[in-house]
Amino acid sequence: MAPAENPNHESLRVALGATRLRVGLAFVLILLLVLGVRLFQVQALDFDGMAQAGLNKRLVTQEVPALRGSILDDEGNELAHTVQRYDIVVDQTLSGGETFDRYDAETDERVEGIPMEQGFQELSAILGQDVAALKEAILGDAKFAFVARSVTPEVRNRVLAVGMPGVYADPTTVRTYPSGAVAGSILGFMSGDGRPLSGLELTQDEQLTGTAGSRTFEIGGDGIRIPYATNEDVPAEDGQSVRTTIDQDLQYFAQQTIAAQVQDYNAEWGNIVVVEAKTGAIKAMAESTTPDPNDYAATDPKFREPLSVTAAFEPGSTTKLITMAAGLEQGIIEPTSRFETPPTYTVDGQTFKDAFEHGTEKRTAAGVFAKSMNTGTVMIGEQLTKQERYDWLRKFGIGEPLNVGLNGETAGILPTPDSWDERQQYTVLFGQGLAQTALHTAMVYQTVANDGVRLQPRLIDAYIDPDGTEHKVPQAEGTRVVSEDTAGKLQKMLETVTVEGSGASGALEEYRVGAKTGTAEAPGASGGYDGYTLSYAGIAPIEDPQYVVVVTLQRPQGDLYYLVPGESFQKVMKHVLNSNNVPPSTGKPEVYPVVY
């Protein structure tokens, strides 16, 4: 007979089982609570940044380049311009597989299972590349590779619409020069990677350069951009445009004119400078050989910069204007002062002669100037002290930087009088023993044309913000060099040169012209002299001077008697006067007597 069960034992067993159940249930609840809290941390609070890390893997940030400001002529026509372009690039690690998906551009719906071969065919038609070349560029294990460079926005949109995995478009810009070589040496040029190398592109880089922006967006694991996901744009700030004083049409005409004369005379180079007399604005600075900034490497490096401001040379007789100005202003001479000029003239053991054979002539000061006589010029200039001769050259800007805003500008060479030898102290009176640029010469004649007030030459007229706001560059106050009375006498002496002297080749039928020729020996690279520099500088119309034109020819070949830079002066001066509607002269030329 089995023993009866103890009721207390049964109760204890039931109680223990209930306790175990409660403990197990509590443990499960605690575990679920811990997991829930952790899930909340990960998904909601993200203390460890896991969500952000995942987002970061999906984010792509592209730089949005700012558009470089334009360089404009005086009428706002673009001489240099930046256009938006795109480089098509690829992350090859995202481009494998047999098929790919893309979003329809119109519906934003995902289209699945497009054969990669179809994608290559579509890209081939858009980019004009064969399929084999595209496969080589797109397939591989490189994180970055170029597929196509500098495509238009239209091509970029069509490429992205294909949806090829890993293929993107990096924004970039291209600098273009719509007028080619017109003012090329003034504008300068850019390197292939967008660095300014010369000209206004270099000196005005701070104003032309804007501030880049950025574009951030999400891509999926297949390399396709995710619509409606993160999309942050920081807009770029474009650079300022620079408006110059250059007249594009005049610049082109002057370049063609000097290039033709250099070719006719087989000269090394030549240039033409045109300056507005009353403002100092440079309207043209033309070189016989001018680089096309679109392909600057095609031009010899020595002709890539504007020789009008980088090449200094002995000017010759155009500098006699300064000697006459000093004599008039200091009361040493009048235009009609009389000089007996012998075939040769000796002073301090130095003998000087003229470029033409003659006996002793009875010449006025105006006649000495008109006939460009070295002998008579020394006779006038020796009445000035050496320091005065030097000071007058400096007053007219010789030996000083002109600072028009171009790299490579030279101040020229003007030694101090304590370094002059016995001959140089006199040769500086007729433009030898010193060196200056064509623009220096132009500003000497600008001073006389502007009634004796020398101005700062101006190449930059204004800076223009992207919204069109203009910031005019203030014109520096002029410096009076000679009195208005002296300037008027010098203008009449210049007209005397054109009518009665060496400047006849630049005369115009409809306008009164005042001009001066210059001839100087050109120093050779190995010492000594190996050619000549010819100049022709003039102003018109003489009754109210508006423009200065200076023509320079370096080492022309042939008989000097038949080499006439005045022909180019004549063409360019006529063009600038006519194109700016300057009324023809109505009065007859006024000249001084040249002999007595």
Side-chain angles (χ1 to χ4, degrees):
M1 180 174 179
E5 293 185 2
N6 188 333
N8 291 330
H9 288 171
E10 182 65 25
S11 298
L12 180 60
R13 190 167 52 249
V14 171
L16 289 173
T19 299
R20 292 189 188 100
L21 181 62
R22 285 193 295 269
V23 170
L25 181 60
F27 179 77
V28 171
L29 290 174
I30 291 172
L31 182 60
L32 289 174
L33 179 62
V34 170
L35 291 174
V37 170
R38 183 57 181 161
L39 185 62
F40 176 74
Q41 290 176 336
V42 170
Q43 293 189 343
L45 301 180
D46 191 27
F47 287 138
D48 295 331
M50 294 179 66
Q52 183 62 48
L55 176 61
N56 290 342
K57 289 182 179 180
R58 299 192 301 274
L59 286 178
V60 173
T61 299
Q62 294 178 335
E63 181 181 281
V64 178
L67 292 181
R68 189 173 179 82
S70 297
I71 302 177
L72 314 172
D73 78 347
D74 61 346
E75 294 292 334
N77 300 305
E78 287 187 319
L79 298 171
H81 175 64
T82 293
V83 293
Q84 183 73 63
R85 290 291 183 264
Y86 294 87
D87 291 333
I88 306 302
V89 300
V90 63
D91 180 347
Q92 294 177 345
T93 63
L94 301 173
S95 61
E98 297 295 326
T99 64
F100 65 94
D101 301 341
R102 69 182 173 204
Y103 286 93
D104 185 277
E106 296 182 359
T107 65
D108 270 335
E109 294 181 356
R110 192 179 184 96
V111 181
E112 299 180 348
I114 299 170
M116 286 288 287
E117 191 64 31
Q118 177 183 330
F120 285 123
Q121 293 291 340
E122 292 176 3
L123 288 178
S124 175
I126 296 169
L127 296 174
Q129 299 182 28
D130 62 53
V131 172
L134 284 172
K135 288 181 177 179
E136 184 177 352
I138 293 175
L139 300 178
D141 55 10
K143 294 292 292 182
F144 180 90
F146 285 104
V147 178
R149 303 295 294 267
S150 190
V151 303
T152 65
E154 178 188 8
V155 170
R156 171 255 189 197
N157 292 339
R158 293 173 61 195
V159 166
L160 295 184
V162 172
M164 183 73 78
V167 174
Y168 312 111
D170 278 350
T172 185
T173 59
V174 173
R175 194 66 163 169
T176 64
Y177 302 86
S179 297
V182 176
S185 58
I186 299 172
L187 300 175
F189 38 84
M190 309 284 287
S191 67
D193 58 359
R195 292 178 295 109
L197 298 179
S198 182
L200 294 179
E201 294 282 25
L202 178 62
T203 64
Q204 305 302 306
D205 184 54
E206 182 177 349
Q207 290 76 19
L208 292 166
T209 301
T211 303
S214 64
R215 178 181 297 116
T216 302
F217 55 89
E218 285 187 57
I219 61 170
D222 56 4
I224 299 177
R225 182 171 179 173
I226 302 174
Y228 310 117
T230 302
N231 188 355
E232 298 179 357
D233 288 336
V234 177
E237 297 180 13
D238 296 340
Q240 291 180 306
S241 290
V242 177
R243 187 172 66 221
T244 69
T245 60
I246 295 294
D247 178 334
Q248 181 177 209
D249 292 339
L250 175 63
Q251 177 75 24
Y252 172 78
F253 183 83
Q255 285 182 203
Q256 296 297 106
T257 300
I258 192 61
Q261 188 161 51
V262 164
Q263 183 176 16
D264 288 346
Y265 291 173
N266 194 26
E268 182 179 333
W269 53 262
N271 51 44
I272 297 177
V273 177
V274 183
V275 174
E276 205 167 57
K278 300 183 188 304
T279 68
I282 301 170
K283 307 309 293 182
M285 200 155 62
E287 309 295 336
S288 55
T289 300
T290 306
D292 181 346
N294 295 298
D295 184 20
Y296 69 90
T299 301
D300 188 318
K302 70 179 180 180
F303 294 125
R304 292 178 190 170
E305 295 181 346
L307 298 178
S308 298
V309 296
T310 64
F313 51 87
E314 292 190 355
S317 295
T318 54
T319 301
K320 290 173 181 174
L321 182 66
I322 297 176
T323 302
M324 298 300 163
L328 290 169
E329 190 72 5
Q330 291 194 200
I332 294 172
I333 60 167
E334 287 294 324
T336 54
S337 295
R338 299 178 175 186
F339 295 88
E340 285 196 9
T341 54
T344 61
Y345 181 70
T346 300
V347 57
D348 289 338
Q350 301 298 314
T351 300
F352 301 94
K353 64 177 183 178
D354 297 314
F356 62 98
E357 298 294 333
H358 64 87
T360 298
E361 296 188 357
K362 294 184 176 181
R363 289 269 172 180
T364 62
V368 167
F369 189 55
K371 201 64 174 177
S372 198
M373 303 176 76
N374 294 339
T375 53
T377 302
V378 172
M379 294 170 71
I380 294 170
E382 68 176 319
Q383 300 177 65
L384 302 165
T385 67
K386 288 200 297 183
Q387 187 63 48
E388 287 172 337
R389 298 168 209 172
Y390 175 83
D391 290 343
W392 276 105
L393 289 165
R394 291 301 295 261
K395 286 179 182 179
F396 275 92
I398 308 304
E400 294 184 359
L402 294 178
N403 298 324
V404 298
L406 291 171
N407 61 302
E409 292 182 46
T410 177
I413 302 172
L414 179 61
T416 54
D418 58 357
S419 66
W420 290 349
D421 60 28
E422 293 181 351
R423 188 167 186 81
Q424 188 178 15
Q425 65 177 316
Y426 296 108
T427 61
V428 295
L429 296 168
F430 51 83
Q432 294 185 6
L434 54 84
Q436 64 197 54
T437 68
L439 184 59
H440 279 94
T441 301
M443 299 315 294
V444 170
Y445 283 72
Q446 175 276 320
T447 302
V448 172
N450 193 38
D451 295 331
V453 177
R454 176 186 164 208
L455 300 175
Q456 168 69 27
R458 298 173 55 242
L459 184 58
I460 307 298
D461 179 60
Y463 297 101
I464 304 173
D465 294 337
D467 64 3
T469 303
E470 289 192 11
H471 306 276
K472 291 280 288 185
V473 176
Q475 182 173 344
E477 186 176 349
T479 302
R480 178 161 293 283
V481 178
V482 296
S483 68
E484 188 172 347
D485 179 65
T486 294
K489 293 174 180 177
L490 291 169
Q491 292 171 14
K492 188 174 178 179
M493 290 175 73
L494 286 169
E495 187 170 29
T496 303
V497 177
T498 306
V499 176
E500 299 286 350
S502 60
S505 62
L508 295 171
E509 291 183 4
E510 296 182 327
Y511 298 95
R512 293 168 56 192
V513 173
K516 183 72 186 73
T517 57
T519 303
E521 290 183 296
S526 57
Y529 294 93
D530 60 2
Y532 292 90
T533 303
L534 304 186
S535 302
Y536 191 105
I539 62 180
I542 205 68
E543 69 275 12
D544 183 20
Q546 299 295 313
Y547 294 97
V548 175
V549 174
V550 175
V551 180
T552 305
L553 292 170
Q554 181 74 337
R555 294 186 177 86
Q557 305 301 307
D559 189 333
L560 287 177
Y561 183 82
Y562 296 102
L563 300 178
V564 189
E567 292 179 355
S568 290
F569 168 91
Q570 187 182 66
K571 293 175 182 177
V572 172
M573 181 62 87
K574 181 178 180 180
H575 181 94
V576 69
L577 293 173
N578 288 341
S579 61
N580 286 280
N581 299 314
V582 177
S585 300
T586 55
K588 294 183 178 180
E590 297 179 10
V591 300
Y592 290 112
V594 295
V595 296
Y596 64 95

